[in-house]
Amino acid sequence: MKKHWWQEVVIYQVYPRSFKDSDGDGIGDLPGIIEKLPYLEKLGIGGIWLSPVYQSPNDDNGYDISDYENIMAEFGTMADMEQLIAEAAKRGIKIIMDLVVNHTSDEHRWFVEAKKGRENPYRDYYVWADPAKDGGVPNGLGSTFSGTAWELDEASGQYYLHLFSKKQPDLNWENPQVRQAVYDMMNFWIDKGIGGFRMDVIDLIGKIPEKEITGNGPKLHEYLQEMNQATFGGKELLTVGETWGATPEIAKLYSNPARQELSMVFQFEHMGLDQEPGKEKWDLQPLDVGALKHALARWQTELGSEGWNSLFWENHDLPRIISRWGNDSRYREASAKLFAILLHMMKGTPYVYQGEEIGMTNAPVTDISEVADIESRNMYHERLAKGFTKEAILAAINKKGRDNARTPMQWDATKEAGFTTGTPWLAVNPNYREINVAAALADPNSIFYTYQQLIKLRKEHPLMIWGDFELLSTPTTIFAYLRRYEGETWLVVGNFSDDTQELHLPQFSVLAPVIHNYPEKITSVAHRLLAPWEAFTVKVREE
Ligand code: TEU
């Protein structure tokens, strides 16, 4: 199998609104990212996935784009963007742009035209439907952000489809002109020297709204092959699709090199394990660590040479992992390092979300007025109307709401965590005085240096990239696996709990330590009492 740069690097996700504000308006910006490139270089990453920076009215923080070829004024200018690409390149960092083409903003020129009437040349860029026989919405399709996915356009009497906010009308991918316009836009960015694309809800572009089919529609892969040919094919770019409904079989359709579609996908099977089956993301059940291990292991082994995994615990839509499945108080450092070690030792391309590398935590709110995220706000009103209590809804938002990961990056212990000299658009987490980059850099045992070490190890040990994976059978809350490559074997162990656990792996003798989140040296794994959230990797001989 041909090897690619995007298999060897670690990618860091920047949510620009919350990363670093350079001009005091309380909103992060491109010059702020440029200013922090030395920090990212020190971490050792090879690419930045940049959440959308295009012109947008910000109904969904940039995921509602009104002009794909211009930069959002709050973030800077196209010249800043070009400078970011160039400055990052000098540090060996490629910029991966967020490609949001399932929908545009309702303020995009195409939609403004489309609304002018049924005869407008842009009408068919979007999905329109007549009212149902009873005069109501065309069918039962719902929006991810609560309520129906159909909005009435009074002027024409037709409804348009919006699988997200009503300010995010869905593009009609069956229209070849839409596809060509998207490909032209992608080439505009490729010509600027970017390193690839993260493709927002790409599994929805093959939808058949009249049949209420949204994810994994019949023409999805045909479109992606066409896109590949028309844009990034043969250019050594990283392409990662966001695919909520992917199974390993589906992931192979996207990422089998022979099919010439994408490099890899983000799959979310493991991210749904603390959700009550058949219910919504807000309806939580305790995580079954055994199920988590088996889900991850299945992805590790099933793609084989017919695909490639992306590895992540966090992104801008998900809560902070240590607040979710770790321990963000007593064992904050240990559990953050455990998540880092377990993830980076698996096979695939690791993604680190801003702040994860310093162990940032969820940011609880006490009132809906403190919440900015449209998904949480809409759900709040929907559930209030359904009779849920405020307390129950806020508890769910504090666990799963998207603002948890979107609070400003904590750079230092000064006012507003050094993120801005003004008033931040979303409140800084009050724990910034203890948890911040300056403190992490000053402490040689900090979470930051565990990430740095893992990224360095990846550059030195091909085993971490190419080695085979085998899950070991251990007590439920111990996650243990092997990586094997060219006669060498690494054992990776993590105690996923607040309790001590007994590890018995007499079949291995320890040859050398690789990484560990507690200070003492590991000489044997035959009988070992694991401390809470202890995690390590050792080179072993199999007896
Ligand atoms: O997310 C897709 C998506 O379905 C999310 O809304 C997700 O389901 C939810 O946040 C988790 O519960 C992508 C982007 O990552 C997200 O930020 C956008 O809001 C969304 O698409 C629309 O563009």
Side-chain angles (χ1 to χ4, degrees):
M1 207 167 122
K2 189 171 173 243
K3 294 179 176 176
H4 302 278
W5 68 270
W6 41 259
Q7 295 172 298
E8 302 184 6
V9 297
V10 172
I11 306 290
Y12 186 91
Q13 184 189 353
V14 167
Y15 193 68
R17 207 172 179 75
S18 302
F19 192 62
K20 173 67 187 166
D21 174 23
S22 72
D23 60 6
D25 66 356
I27 297 171
D29 49 39
L30 295 173
I33 302 172
I34 295 169
E35 181 189 321
K36 295 298 181 184
L37 285 172
Y39 168 72
L40 297 176
E41 185 181 21
K42 187 179 172 88
L43 185 58
I45 56 140
I48 293 173
W49 154 21
L50 192 59
S51 275
V53 293
Y54 317 94
Q55 200 179 89
S56 161
N58 282 307
D59 189 52
D60 186 21
N61 286 358
Y63 283 89
D64 49 320
I65 297 166
S66 54
D67 185 348
Y68 291 100
E69 297 181 11
N70 265 308
I71 299 296
M72 194 189 299
E74 291 102 312
F75 289 173
T77 62
M78 189 58 86
D80 294 328
M81 188 63 221
E82 285 163 359
Q83 198 192 341
L84 172 62
I85 295 169
E87 292 297 320
K90 287 184 196 155
R91 298 172 190 276
I93 298 172
K94 296 182 202 272
I95 303 293
I96 315 298
M97 296 298 274
D98 214 313
L99 184 77
V100 189
V101 290
N102 173 67
H103 43 267
T104 67
S105 163
D106 65 338
E107 297 180 34
H108 193 288
R109 189 176 58 87
W110 300 338
F111 194 70
V112 173
E113 286 296 318
K115 279 221 318 191
K116 288 185 178 164
R118 296 187 189 212
E119 303 310 320
N120 189 281
Y122 289 93
R123 184 74 174 183
D124 201 30
Y125 270 47
Y126 295 87
V127 181
W128 300 90
D130 291 325
K133 286 203 189 74
D134 67 358
V137 291
N139 62 32
L141 280 180
S143 157
T144 302
F145 297 158
S146 302
T148 173
W150 296 101
E151 180 73 7
L152 183 63
D153 169 50
E154 303 268 349
S156 66
Q158 282 194 309
Y159 285 87
Y160 67 85
L161 179 75
H162 61 91
L163 292 175
F164 295 89
S165 131
K166 62 180 180 228
K167 283 182 70 60
Q168 291 168 303
D170 276 58
L171 283 167
N172 173 19
W173 273 74
E174 284 187 40
N175 180 348
Q177 284 174 293
V178 166
R179 304 205 298 276
Q180 192 56 50
V182 168
Y183 306 154
D184 291 346
M185 176 272 283
M186 293 172 72
N187 286 326
F188 167 90
W189 283 103
I190 292 172
D191 291 344
K192 288 201 180 294
I194 63 164
F197 296 102
R198 174 269 184 185
M199 302 185 179
D200 192 64
V201 288
I202 202 67
D203 56 346
L204 301 182
I205 63 171
K207 65 189 145 266
I208 310 186
E210 55 277 24
K211 292 192 182 152
E212 300 198 15
I213 295 172
T214 54
N216 298 309
K219 289 197 180 151
L220 168 63
H221 296 283
E222 190 183 306
Y223 295 156
L224 287 174
Q225 286 171 10
E226 182 186 79
M227 177 194 283
N228 178 308
Q229 294 290 309
T231 62
F232 53 81
K235 298 198 171 86
E236 265 304 302
L237 297 187
L238 181 162
T239 50
V240 52
E242 186 203 22
T243 60
W244 280 80
T247 59
E249 282 312 309
I250 292 175
K252 289 188 215 176
L253 296 177
Y254 290 103
S255 65
N256 184 341
R259 293 172 50 85
Q260 299 196 25
E261 292 187 21
L262 307 181
S263 314
M264 62 188 113
V265 295
F266 289 125
Q267 63 85 13
F268 291 86
E269 190 185 339
H270 60 301
M271 284 298 155
L273 294 173
D274 56 2
Q275 177 176 326
E276 280 185 63
K279 295 233 185 138
E280 295 185 75
K281 71 179 253 187
W282 312 105
D283 304 305
L284 294 171
Q285 65 181 11
L287 173 71
D288 170 352
V289 179
L292 177 69
K293 291 193 303 194
H294 285 101
L296 290 173
R298 198 160 70 86
W299 280 89
Q300 286 290 296
T301 50
E302 283 194 19
L303 295 191
S305 61
E306 294 168 68
W308 184 255
N309 272 300
S310 58
L311 308 169
F312 67 96
W313 298 120
E314 293 186 6
N315 66 32
H316 65 294
D317 294 330
L318 302 171
R320 294 291 182 179
I321 194 64
I322 53 176
S323 300
R324 183 179 189 175
W325 294 339
N327 181 320
D328 65 4
S329 50
R330 182 160 179 206
Y331 298 114
R332 187 182 70 88
E333 301 240 344
S335 67
K337 292 174 185 173
L338 170 136
F339 283 104
I341 293 170
L342 289 180
L343 190 89
H344 287 245
M345 288 293 166
M346 282 191 282
K347 187 173 185 176
T349 300
Y351 289 74
V352 179
Y353 178 69
Q354 66 184 43
E356 185 178 349
E357 79 281 13
I358 56 165
M360 279 177 62
T361 67
N362 277 0
V365 295
T366 52
D367 190 85
I368 192 66
S369 61
E370 298 163 61
V371 176
D373 173 34
I374 183 169
E375 182 186 49
S376 297
R377 294 183 69 91
N378 287 359
M379 179 281 287
Y380 178 87
H381 296 296
E382 182 179 71
R383 288 202 166 186
L384 265 191
K386 283 186 182 157
F388 286 74
T389 65
K390 273 186 188 173
E391 292 67 34
I393 304 174
L394 287 173
I397 290 175
N398 285 338
K399 282 279 181 201
K400 294 288 288 295
R402 304 195 298 180
D403 282 353
N404 282 306
R406 297 178 180 184
T407 59
M409 180 74 179
Q410 293 163 206
W411 292 105
D412 58 40
T414 65
K415 197 167 175 293
E416 308 301 359
F419 163 69
T420 180
T421 55
T423 307
W425 71 276
L426 182 67
V428 169
N429 192 319
N431 64 21
Y432 73 89
R433 285 181 198 83
E434 296 82 54
I435 303 171
N436 61 63
V437 168
L441 292 179
D443 171 8
N445 291 317
S446 72
I447 300 161
F448 176 89
Y449 291 111
T450 296
Y451 275 91
Q452 187 193 52
Q453 193 187 349
L454 285 163
I455 296 171
K456 185 161 171 280
L457 284 166
R458 187 177 182 86
K459 292 175 183 163
E460 294 163 353
H461 298 276
L463 173 145
M464 276 177 77
I465 303 162
W466 312 112
D468 292 335
F469 175 100
E470 185 189 328
L471 182 70
L472 294 176
S473 157
T474 47
T476 310
T477 56
I478 298 176
F479 190 2
Y481 58 85
L482 301 176
R483 296 293 304 278
R484 291 193 188 90
Y485 184 70
E486 294 186 342
E488 189 168 326
T489 304
W490 286 14
L491 166 70
V492 184
V493 173
N495 173 14
F496 236 96
S497 81
D498 284 348
D499 306 316
T500 54
Q501 295 284 343
E502 283 186 38
L503 179 74
H504 294 288
L505 292 173
Q507 67 272 41
F508 302 107
S509 49
V510 174
L511 298 178
V514 179
I515 191 167
H516 188 193
N517 67 350
Y518 276 79
E520 74 273 27
K521 199 166 177 253
I522 293 166
T523 48
S524 163
V525 290
H527 299 285
R528 185 181 166 80
L529 194 62
L530 295 175
W533 302 101
E534 181 171 356
F536 60 79
T537 302
V538 284
K539 185 177 164 183
V540 294
R541 188 174 56 232
E542 305 182 53
E543 306 294 349

